[in-house]
Structure formats: structure tokens, C-alpha cells
Amino acid sequence: MTVLPKTVVITGATSGIGLATARSLAAQGVNIIGAGRSQSRCVEAEALIRAETPAARVNYFVADLASQRQVRALGSAIRELIQREFGGKLDVLINNAAAVSDWYVATEDGYEMQFAVNHLAGFLLTYELLPLLEMSACARVITVSSGSHYHTRMHWQDLMYRKHYFCLSAYKQSKLANLLFTREFNRRLADVSNIRAYAVDPGLVNTEIGAKGTGGLIQWFWNIRSRSGISPAEAAKTIVYLTAIPDIPQKEAVYWKECRPVEPSQYSKRADAAARLWEISEQLCGIVYTP
Amino acid sequence: MKSYVFISGAAGGLGKAFAAECASRGWNLFLTDVSAGDLSILTSGLVRLYNVEIIYYPCNLTDPASRDELWKIIQQRNLRFHFLINVAGVDFEGPFIERTSAELGTIIRLNIESTVDMTSRALHFRDKTRMLRIINVSSLAGYYPMPVKAIYAASKRFLLDFSLALHHELAESGVTVTVLCPAGMPTTPSAISGIFAQGFMGRITTKNVGYVAAKTIDRALSGRMVYIPGVINRILRFLGGTVPPSLVAYFIGKRWLKIRHKYNGEILKGV
Ligand SMILES: NC(=O)c1ccc[n+]([C@@H]2O[C@H](COP(=O)([O-])OP(=O)(O)OC[C@H]3O[C@@H](n4cnc5c(N)ncnc54)[C@H](OP(=O)(O)O)[C@@H]3O)[C@@H](O)[C@H]2O)c1
């Protein structure tokens, strides 16, 4: 590979697919800026990568992405680091962090937790890092979505599932939101900037995501189901591919799986839904994207 | 005149759910809790989401001087209320003998004294042009004497009786009092692990806070006296009512001690 990206930000880089992605990219000589919610897991992940790749440049930051305040603080900590040490330029942002919760939990901002972490945090962090991405010749924003986005729609009348919460419905909607965000990002920014957004379906992966915020039936079901999934390292390949390949063939394809473009759901292609979600997300984060 | 929904304990799990529910109905809010920082973050989040007017003021409700200050501000700003939702409450779970007198005092001052005080004061600051709806948050625990939660359950019993009596006393004056008696509510990580620890029973008696808040407001608007969320919980409450209290206490005591054994006490330390 000729022009490797130099610097990459990965959220949720303390376990599962995010950690595997960080390890693989670090081994290829990419500067890794990881984010996680737990101080100790961040320290462990950093140590693991250094042990595997002694020459790696790795920095982890702790931030709970359920909190917009902490997402903003993460953004500014990353900006500061990149200005100081990496020439003020970010090549790829990987919005990977996500969480599942059995119960409706309101964040400090008063928003439903899965919507906040799985969708809004990435929306806001991308905005926070836009100036750095604009400095790269060919920047990418990769959001880890999921096959769960099929067979669902946006629940506009109660986006936060406040009244009739069901864990999987909220999760599926948040993964659909990842795709709508990616599509709308490109519509608004791809032509006027050097940044292009992609969404990835990692497939069924053997991680603990479905067992962390759950118990009982859902946890049991996930523990059994995830065993038949691929390894995180295998799942990371598509993300690594989209991150590292200099020229993406079919570069306008939005949704990728196994290093190939695949067809996302019909609903995810609805321009009205994408625009509507974008406006709501701007409103909820108190920001206005301007390229 | 603009009137507001007063919510205490607004930054906690159930408080946030009530705040979101009321804001989603287009009502203006007055929020209080201990931390000004938490209130300010929640306020901006809800304003962005629902575009209503929200005022907040921090208060340590266990401290009478802090409560005086809160109501002085309310008086100065000439605020009026059409809803009072007393959510603030606390428990330090675990055997009575392990509780410090400061902890016991806090449960009594917050759950009982402050709720009574807030209710009494809010009556003088009601919006006289409309009904005043009061919601007190008791608990299913309020129906039974509960070993290992003795003071908490007794404080919730107080709120239950207080609310029922007040409901009838104020019936003629355009005020309704609704008492909410939920079982487990998954609002904090420790509450959630507590529910998981109770296994199947914990799970089927648990209701989402968003749902509970929405239904409670509906009940209050129709002047209902008691709301127990969840059919299973209503059945439990009914069955509990047919058994002598000392027997219920015996079974609850055994059950908690078993769970405590199983989890080595770890989930019962502090909420
Ligand atoms: N596993 C699958 O089968 C599958 C399938 C399709 C899509 N996906 C997607 O793949 C992505 C990664 O999932 P995974 O399976 O690798 O799960 P995972 O192992 O649980 O990793 C999720 C990462 O996000 C972090 N995280 C969770 N909540 C956070 C918060 N509030 N603030 C900051 N960080 C937070 C986690 O931190 P901790 O390490 O502290 O937990 C972890 O690093 C997700 O977007 C998921 O939706 C997974």
C-alpha cells in the first residue's frame, strides 16, 4: 500500500471490533487515537497495542459518549493532540462505539442512551473533528452500522422510545440512523469537501456487546448467538480496508460488508428521512454543520 | 400567567423521565435537585428536544435552610405551579444495624420531611386558575414491612398514607393527590444490577421509567389516587393485602437474605 492514512480516531476501541481495528491499524504503522468509557480498559488496550507493536503511536482518551459534554471534551482533547503531535490533520474517523441496554435509560442530557451513544455521539464527534478531517487530502468517516438496520424504520413520533421501549427496536433504529447519517453526510459534504462517509456491516461478531447492558433472556440469547459469529479481527477487516486503501473502488457506495459494497435497506435510502434525522440531530446537539 | 410543573429529584432516573414526559406535553418546568451542574445539562438537553421553558434551582432538600432559599427564589420570581411531582427520595439498603445515624436521618428527612414541606408550600403557590395535581412517589415497598429496607419501606408507607389522606382532604379544593407505587425501576447501574440479581421476579416486576412516568401523568390528570405500574405488581399488592403483614415481612426477609447471600452483599451496599 502506498499512501497509508497517518492518523485515525476510533471510538469504542477498548473491546470487540474497535479494539481489533486499532490493533490491526497500529500494526500497519497508523497513529491510533482510541476512545473508551473506562479508564482501566483504555490503559489495558493501550498496553496491549504497545506490546504487539512496540513502535506504535497510540493515545487513548476516556469519555462517556452518552454525555454530550464528554463528547465535546473528547473532541477538543483530540484536536489539541493532533495539532500538537500529528500535524493538525486527521485522516479517518471511525465511529464504532455502541451500547445495548435492556431498559430505557435517560442520559444526563435527558436522551435515550442507545440513541445518544450509537447515533448522536458519532454525529457530534464528527462535527467536532471536521476541521481536522478537512486538512487531510482524502478523509473518511466510517460508521459501524449493522445488518440490524434492515426491517425497521425511524420511530419519529417517539424517537427515544421513551414510552414503549424495547431494547432491540431502539438498537435497530440506532443502526439505521448510522446509515441515514452516512448518506446525508455525503449529500451535504462529499462534493464540497474532501471527506466521504461510509457505513460498515461487520456481520455477526463474537463480542460481548449484547451481554453488557442486558440480563436474563436477551443476555442468554446473545451469549448463544454470538458464539457462532466471526472473530472481531475478521470483522475489523472491512473497516481496516476502507481506512487504509488509497482509492476505494466504487467509492460512492455507502454500505460495505466483507470489503464489498452491499445493498442497504430501502428505508435507509430515503432522502426525506435522512434530511429529517440530520436536522433533528443538529437540533439535539445544538450545532449546525457547515462545510 | 405562566405556570410550571415542579419536579424534585429531577436529575435522577425517574425525575428525568417525568421531566421529559411533561416537557413532551408542552408544559413549562421548574426543576430541582442537588447538583446545579446536572440540572443545567438536563435543562439544555430538554429545551433542545422539546422547546419548552425550563427554570432550575439546586437545593439540598434534606436541609431546611436550603429549602427556605428555594422557596424564596420561587416567591421572588413569582412562580406558580399546576403540578407538583415529589420524586426526590433515597435509600441506603442493607441491615439496619449497619446504617449510620446520618444515613437513617437522611432517609427520614428526604423521604418524609421534605416531601411534606414541599407539598405544604406548593399549595400556597398553586396556579389558582387550574387544578393542582400532586404526585408523590411511594413504592410497592410502602405496602409491607420490609426487613433489610425497614426505614425506607416505613418512609414509603408514610407517603402512601399521607397521600391518600390528603387526596380526600383536598378533594373539594381543586387539588388531586396521586401516589405512585412502583416496584423495581431500572434507573441507575446499581438499581439495574439489583434487578438482575433478583432474577426472574426482579425482571417481571420491573417497568421502564419512561412508561411509568407517562402513565402516572395520565393517572394524575384523571384524578386517580394510587397507581401501581404493571399487572403483576398489582396482583402482588392484592395478594400481599390478604396475608397478615408479619407473614409478608417474614417471607420478604427470607428472600432478601437469600439474595444477599448469593451476591455476597455486594449489590446491597448503598444506592
Ligand atoms: N457484535 C456484533 O455482532 C455486531 C454486529 C453488527 C454491528 N456491530 C457494531 O459493531 C460496533 C462495535 O461493537 P462490538 O460488537 O465490538 O461491541 P463491544 O465489544 O461491546 O464494543 C463496543 C465499544 O464501545 C464502547 N462503548 C460502549 N458504550 C460506550 C459509551 N457510553 N461511551 C464510550 N464508549 C462506549 C465499549 O466500551 P467498553 O469496552 O468499556 O465496553 C467498547 O469499546 C458497534 O457499533 C455495533 O453496533 C456489532
Side-chain angles (χ1 to χ4, degrees), chain A residues 11-19 35-38 41 63-67 95-99 113 117-118 144-148 171 175 178 200-210 212 222 226 232:
Chain A
T11 65
T14 49
S15 49
I17 301 165
L19 177 59
R37 61 180 154 179
S38 137
R41 278 194 291 279
D64 181 354
L65 299 179
S67 153
N95 289 312
N96 161 75
M113 196 273 288
V117 173
N118 304 3
V144 184
S145 176
S146 163
S148 307
Y171 180 74
K175 293 287 122 182
N178 293 155
V200 170
D201 172 10
L204 176 64
V205 192
N206 190 357
T207 71
E208 281 172 12
I209 187 165
K212 286 176 186 171
W222 178 255
S226 64

Side-chain angles (χ1 to χ4, degrees), chain B residues 3 64 74-75 77 86 98 128 136-138 160 179 217 253:
Chain B
S3 61
I74 289 171
Q75 183 159 30
R77 302 190 60 165
N86 286 308
E98 288 172 14
K128 295 216 175 66
N136 288 330
V137 180
S138 175
L160 184 59
V179 59
I217 297 291

Side-chain angles (χ1 to χ4, degrees), chain B:
Chain B
M1 191 203 302
K2 250 192 207 158
S3 61
Y4 296 82
V5 175
F6 184 122
I7 304 177
S8 79
L14 182 59
K16 280 187 284 196
F18 270 120
E21 175 61 29
C22 294
S24 78
R25 294 178 188 240
W27 297 336
N28 300 317
L29 310 181
F30 180 90
L31 308 179
T32 186
D33 207 306
V34 200
S35 150
D38 290 354
L39 288 169
S40 132
I41 291 167
L42 177 64
T43 295
S44 27
L46 292 178
V47 167
R48 290 197 299 266
L49 182 53
Y50 298 111
N51 194 24
V52 291
E53 186 187 324
I54 304 182
I55 304 175
Y56 67 87
Y57 198 79
C59 174
N60 173 5
L61 289 174
T62 58
D63 173 11
S66 182
R67 294 202 300 262
D68 283 343
E69 189 189 313
L70 175 76
W71 286 95
K72 226 169 85 192
I73 297 290
I74 289 171
Q75 183 159 30
Q76 275 166 9
R77 302 190 60 165
N78 200 20
L79 303 179
R80 291 293 178 272
F81 303 108
H82 65 100
F83 242 105
L84 166 68
I85 310 180
N86 286 308
V87 182
V90 70
D91 186 18
F92 301 95
E93 228 170 57
F96 185 67
I97 196 164
E98 288 172 14
R99 302 280 69 82
T100 64
S101 86
E103 287 170 342
L104 297 172
T106 302
I107 299 179
I108 292 171
R109 270 197 301 279
L110 186 61
N111 299 11
I112 298 180
E113 185 186 299
S114 145
T115 306
V116 171
D117 191 29
M118 293 290 122
T119 307
S120 132
R121 300 204 204 213
L123 287 172
H124 300 285
F125 286 86
R126 63 178 284 204
D127 172 357
K128 295 216 175 66
T129 65
R130 48 207 288 202
M131 297 282 291
L132 172 66
R133 310 291 186 180
I134 299 176
I135 295 172
N136 288 330
V137 180
S138 175
S139 160
L140 209 55
Y143 282 102
Y144 319 108
M146 292 191 69
V148 197
K149 289 166 93 65
I151 300 302
Y152 175 79
S155 76
K156 292 300 182 182
R157 178 75 197 194
F158 176 96
L159 289 179
L160 184 59
D161 285 356
F162 168 62
S163 306
L164 298 185
L166 211 59
H167 181 89
H168 290 292
E169 184 176 330
L170 297 174
E172 306 285 282
S173 41
V175 181
T176 61
V177 184
T178 302
V179 59
L180 167 65
C181 299
M185 275 191 302
T187 50
T188 59
S190 74
I192 290 176
S193 54
I195 289 161
F196 290 150
Q198 291 182 54
F200 182 65
M201 270 313 275
R203 200 165 177 92
I204 59 171
T205 55
T206 300
K207 287 273 157 199
N208 271 309
V209 274
Y211 172 87
V212 170
K215 290 286 174 206
T216 308
I217 297 291
D218 288 343
R219 299 294 192 282
L221 286 174
S222 57
R224 278 272 289 275
M225 230 172 6
V226 183
Y227 174 45
I228 300 174
V231 178
I232 305 230
N233 295 318
R234 288 195 280 276
I235 294 172
L236 281 179
R237 143 83 194 105
F238 175 77
L239 293 178
T242 62
V243 180
S246 59
L247 207 62
V248 177
Y250 171 78
F251 282 117
I252 293 174
K254 280 193 72 156
R255 188 170 137 66
W256 273 107
L257 289 173
K258 206 171 101 196
I259 292 170
R260 194 177 154 75
H261 250 93
K262 191 160 143 200
Y263 286 84
N264 215 0
E266 114 203 11
I267 58 138
L268 293 179
K269 292 213 185 81
V271 170

Side-chain angles (χ1 to χ4, degrees), chain A residues 68 104 106 111 162 283-284, chain B residues 16 21 45 48 203 208 210:
Chain A
Q68 291 196 2
Y104 169 87
Y111 304 157
R162 204 165 39 78
Q283 164 78 19
L284 293 182
Chain B
K16 280 187 284 196
E21 175 61 29
R48 290 197 299 266
R203 200 165 177 92
N208 271 309

